[in-house]
Amino acid sequence: MKKEVIEYAGIPVGIVVPDENRLKFIAVKYHVHDLDEQHFSSPAEVKHAIHDLMTRRHPKPIHA
């Protein structure tokens, strides 16, 4: 495991660093701060959590 920059929509939003045999997410953008210092098993898992967080905050509008 190594440090890695995590991007969302092409913008760096944090990094993951090895911690206790997992990856700890360090947020650098306010909109992903809810995930700060959480542990994940892979960078893909972090990206999935960010996607889930962002879609909960900004749901797509429902058109009639």
Side-chain angles (χ1 to χ4, degrees):
M1 288 187 207
K2 59 182 176 131
K3 296 178 194 176
E4 185 175 325
V5 173
I6 302 296
E7 294 184 357
Y8 181 75
I11 298 170
V13 295
I15 61 170
V16 289
V17 296
D19 185 52
E20 298 179 9
N21 236 8
R22 299 200 70 204
L23 293 171
K24 180 166 46 170
F25 178 69
I26 308 296
V28 296
K29 294 290 185 182
Y30 180 76
H31 60 276
V32 296
H33 194 263
D34 289 350
L35 301 175
D36 191 47
E37 296 195 18
Q38 289 189 29
H39 287 84
F40 298 90
S41 60
S42 69
E45 186 179 15
V46 178
K47 292 174 185 178
H48 183 74
I50 292 169
H51 176 75
D52 287 349
L53 177 66
M54 297 309 293
T55 55
R56 280 196 311 266
R57 284 197 182 153
H58 305 288
K60 293 183 179 179
I62 299 173
H63 299 283

